[in-house]
Amino acid sequence: MAEPPATHGLDALGCIAREGSLARVPDAFRPVVASARDRLLDAFGARLHSAYLYGSVPRGTARVGRSDLDLLVALTAAPGEADHETARVLGEAVDKEFDQIDGVGTLLYGRDRLLSDPERYDLGWFVACLCTPLLGDDLAEYLPRYRPDSLLARETNGDLALLLPRWRERIGAAADTEEARRPLVRFMSRHLVRTGFTLVMPRWRGWTSDLREMAEVFAAYHPERAGELRTAAEHGLEPVGDPRVLRSYTEDLGPWLADEYARVHGVKTPRPDWRGVRAPGSGAGVGRVRAPDSGARVGRGRRG
C-alpha cells in the first residue's frame, strides 16, 4: 500500500482545527466580502444571528473569476420562503457587482437547528470547523470539539445511498448539453471525492479540504479505485460536460462508495425535518464535506 500524505489539520488535542480566517481572504476578494457583509446586515437586520464564510475564499485559495463566494447565514428563527428569496436576490446582486467571483451560494438556517442534537455532527461540525465568522455571535462557542472519527464520518456523508436516486433524476431532467451537465459534474465530483475521503478519514486521522489531497488520502487505502477518485477531483476543479462521467458516478463509483460507506461507518441518522430525499444545494461544499441542502446559489456560468 502506498503511503498517504502526511497527516495534518488537527490541533494539539487531536481535534479538527478550524480552517480559514478573514486574514487569509485574498486581496482581490476583500471588497466582495465587505459588500456581502453590509448587504447581509441590511437584508436581515435584527433577524440575523450570525454569518460565516466557507470554502476557498476564507482558506485563501480562491481563483479570480473562477471561484464562488460561499456564505452560511444563521437567523434567530427558522427561515421562511421570503428569507430564501432575500438570500437569492442578495447573491445575485453581489455576483453582478464583482467579476472576481463566479456565483454566490448562501446556506440559510435557524440558530436552533444549527445547535440541535441531531445536527451536532453534521451542520454543527460544519459551522465549528469549516466556517469562518463574519458577523454576529460565533456559534462554535456552543459546540464541542470534533475528532476525525467514524461518528463524524457517518453523520456527514453516510447518506450517499439516499442521494443517488435524486442525482439520477437531476441528470435526466438536465438539458442535453455540455453547458447544462458541467455544474452537475462539478457538484457530484466534489461530493464523491469528499465522501471517499471521509470513508478513510478515521484511518488517516487528519483533515483537509483540498480535493486533490483528499483523493490521494483515499488512494492510499483503496488503490483499486484510486484512479477514479483522482479523476473526480480534477473534474471537481475543471468540470466537463460528458454524460459518461455522470453515468459512471451514479451507476458505478457512487453505488460502490455508498455500500462501502455503510459497511464501514453505517448509515447517517435520519434528521427530524427530512421530508423525502432532497438534493444538496451548493457545492459544501464543501467547503463542507456534504454541502447543506437548503442553499440558494446564483452565478453567471463562467466556470469551466
Side-chain angles (χ1 to χ4, degrees):
M1 183 179 75
E3 288 296 317
T7 298
H8 61 88
L10 306 183
D11 62 20
L13 298 177
C15 298
I16 297 174
R18 196 174 210 173
E19 65 176 24
S21 72
L22 295 180
R24 294 182 187 175
V25 174
D27 289 343
F29 293 90
R30 290 185 179 277
V32 185
V33 172
S35 177
R37 180 183 185 278
D38 292 344
R39 290 175 184 271
L40 285 169
L41 286 169
D42 292 341
F44 293 106
R47 298 190 64 237
L48 178 68
H49 175 274
S50 51
Y52 308 81
L53 303 174
Y54 69 94
S56 61
V57 171
R59 291 200 303 267
T61 60
R63 299 177 294 169
V64 173
R66 305 283 284 175
S67 297
D68 44 16
L69 179 69
D70 292 309
L71 302 167
L72 183 142
V73 176
L75 299 182
T76 55
E81 289 301 322
D83 296 312
H84 287 289
E85 178 63 14
T86 295
R88 186 191 65 79
V89 171
L90 185 153
E92 282 186 344
V94 174
D95 183 51
K96 184 177 180 180
E97 183 179 358
F98 296 98
D99 288 335
Q100 296 95 308
I101 55 172
D102 184 20
V104 177
T106 305
L107 303 172
L108 203 58
Y109 294 100
R111 174 188 180 277
D112 289 348
R113 179 177 175 183
L114 293 172
L115 295 179
S116 68
D117 287 341
E119 296 291 357
R120 178 154 298 177
Y121 287 89
D122 191 11
L123 286 174
W125 164 79
F126 177 55
V127 170
C129 295
L130 303 190
C131 287
T132 296
L134 180 64
L135 287 166
D137 185 18
D138 185 7
L139 290 174
E141 299 297 325
Y142 306 95
L143 292 162
R145 306 301 301 278
Y146 296 89
R147 298 182 184 277
D149 56 18
S150 185
L151 172 61
L152 184 62
R154 185 189 77 209
E155 293 304 307
T156 51
N157 284 318
D159 58 350
L160 181 57
L162 293 175
L163 296 176
L164 288 173
R166 180 57 61 90
W167 286 12
R168 296 183 185 106
E169 291 177 9
R170 293 179 68 182
I171 293 169
D176 188 19
T177 66
E178 289 194 5
E179 183 179 7
R181 286 189 290 263
R182 281 194 191 103
L184 294 175
V185 168
R186 178 181 184 268
F187 159 68
M188 293 178 191
S189 297
R190 290 179 172 223
H191 191 113
L192 290 175
V193 171
R194 290 164 177 159
T195 302
F197 168 72
T198 53
L199 171 66
V200 301
M201 174 184 67
R203 298 170 68 182
W204 188 54
R205 299 178 183 177
W207 176 258
T208 179
S209 284
D210 182 276
L211 287 177
R212 291 190 176 106
E213 187 173 35
M214 284 179 163
E216 291 306 317
V217 173
F218 171 88
Y221 301 99
H222 288 280
E224 76 281 7
R225 292 275 181 170
E228 293 168 84
L229 221 71
R230 287 177 178 133
T231 300
E234 296 305 317
H235 289 333
L237 296 169
E238 298 292 341
V240 297
D242 190 339
R244 294 172 296 180
V245 173
L246 294 170
R247 192 177 310 116
S248 72
Y249 287 171
T250 59
E251 308 309 319
D252 182 19
L253 180 58
W256 174 84
L257 191 51
D259 289 345
E260 185 67 7
Y261 215 97
R263 184 186 70 81
V264 174
H265 300 302
V267 176
K268 182 175 184 173
T269 305
R271 298 299 186 257
D273 64 333
W274 279 13
R275 294 179 289 273
V277 182
R278 296 171 297 171
S282 67
V286 265
R288 151 187 176 87
V289 173
R290 180 189 61 79
D293 55 9
S294 60
R297 178 164 297 278
V298 295
R300 286 164 282 178
R302 294 187 297 267
R303 184 183 290 102

